[in-house]
């Protein structure tokens, strides 16, 4: 099975900062990767799919890149609503998720 | 717009079976593009795909849970279900149902709100 590893596990940042979260796959998954945002008490919500395609309605400050085994999610200018937990998910072979990155207010 | 809602007991005793239902509104479970999944989230936050079912009844399960999982679908009721047998405390989690739109669109959207299932005597 494919293991997904995110880093960092926790990230402290301020409104207006540019932040990057990394996700690594244990084997190549081509571009079959999605990113989700989860807020407390809510289900995850998809932000990006196929590694870099923005889901409809998601602000353009979110972007994704990468292919193969290394991927990044970037938020260009943090807004108060962005403080949440982020997960990557591969769908190359079955489905598996990273352990999550909690984005906290500094 | 498709919406999903989980239902079922919030407390299950160890060694018993966990059974949940997901009801789909605003769309059809017989869409040829859609697979209907169950995903769980442990108290520590980890997400685990349990399996999915197609409207035809074809299923795929996570190999780590395959021996204990059964899914079914009832198109007339717009529902699909999960049974997890012989549960232990390690099965305590929030259980979500979600849709994926099949290859190559195998991400999950939308999700239900989730239902907490606690395994305890």
């Amino acid at each position: 099975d494919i293991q997904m590893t995110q880093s960092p596990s926790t990230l402290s940042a301020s409104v207006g900062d540019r932040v990057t979260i990394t996700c690594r796959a244990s084997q190549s998954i081509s571009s079959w990767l999605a990113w989700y945002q989860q807020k407390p008490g809510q289900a995850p919500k998809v932000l990006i799919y196929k590694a870099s395609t923005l889901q409809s309605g998601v602000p353009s400050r979110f972007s994704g890149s990468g292919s193969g085994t290394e991927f990044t999610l970037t938020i260009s200018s943090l807004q108060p609503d962005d403080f949440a937990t982020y997960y990557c998910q591969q769908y190359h072979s079955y489905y598996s998720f990273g352990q999550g990155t909690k984005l906290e207010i500094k | 717009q498709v919406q999903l809602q989980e239902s079922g007991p919030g407390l299950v005793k160890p060694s018993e079976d966990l059974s949940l239902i997901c009801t789909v509104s605003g769309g059809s479970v017989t869409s040829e593009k859609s697979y209907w999944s169950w995903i769980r989230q442990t108290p520590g936050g980890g997400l685990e795909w349990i399996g999915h079912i197609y409207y035809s009844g074809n299923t795929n399960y996570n190999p780590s849970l395959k021996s204990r999982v059964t899914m079914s679908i009832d198109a007339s009721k717009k529902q699909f279900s999960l049974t997890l047998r012989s549960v232990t405390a390690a099965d305590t989690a929030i259980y979500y149902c979600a849709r994926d739109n099949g290859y190559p669109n195998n991400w999950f959207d939308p999700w239900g709100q989730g239902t907490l299932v606690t395994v305890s005597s």
Side-chain angles (χ1 to χ4, degrees), chain A residues 1-92:
Chain A
D1 55 339
I2 299 175
Q3 309 297 321
M4 306 300 292
T5 304
Q6 288 181 233
S7 60
S9 295
T10 306
L11 180 56
S12 297
S14 302
V15 172
D17 284 353
R18 178 185 178 91
V19 298
T20 297
I21 298 168
T22 297
C23 178
R24 289 186 173 87
S26 60
Q27 65 187 74
S28 177
I29 58 170
S30 185
S31 295
W32 303 123
L33 184 101
W35 288 98
Y36 297 84
Q37 177 193 67
Q38 186 179 33
K39 297 179 180 177
Q42 297 182 17
K45 180 185 85 166
V46 64
L47 300 173
I48 287 169
Y49 58 88
K50 207 175 178 185
S52 60
T53 303
L54 204 63
Q55 172 75 328
S56 175
V58 173
S60 59
R61 62 181 179 271
F62 291 92
S63 64
S65 66
S67 66
T69 61
E70 187 153 334
F71 303 85
T72 59
L73 172 69
T74 299
I75 309 172
S76 60
S77 178
L78 273 174
Q79 299 303 299
D81 191 49
D82 300 337
F83 292 96
T85 301
Y86 294 85
Y87 293 91
C88 60
Q89 175 235 327
Q90 67 82 18
Y91 48 99
H92 172 72

Side-chain angles (χ1 to χ4, degrees), chain B residues 61-93:
Chain B
Y61 301 140
N62 187 323
S64 68
L65 296 167
K66 186 175 183 177
S67 64
R68 298 195 291 134
V69 171
T70 300
M71 294 182 184
S72 62
I73 193 163
D74 186 334
S76 66
K77 294 182 178 178
K78 301 178 74 172
Q79 294 177 335
F80 59 103
S81 67
L82 166 70
T83 298
L84 182 64
R85 293 180 291 278
S86 304
V87 298
T88 70
D91 295 310
T92 293

Side-chain angles (χ1 to χ4, degrees), chain A residues 36 38 43 49 55 87 95, chain B residues 41 45 49 96 100 107-109:
Chain A
Y36 297 84
Q38 186 179 33
Y49 58 88
Q55 172 75 328
Y87 293 91
Y95 311 85
Chain B
Q41 186 166 35
W49 175 73
Y96 294 100
D100 88 64
W107 58 91
F108 300 108
D109 179 59

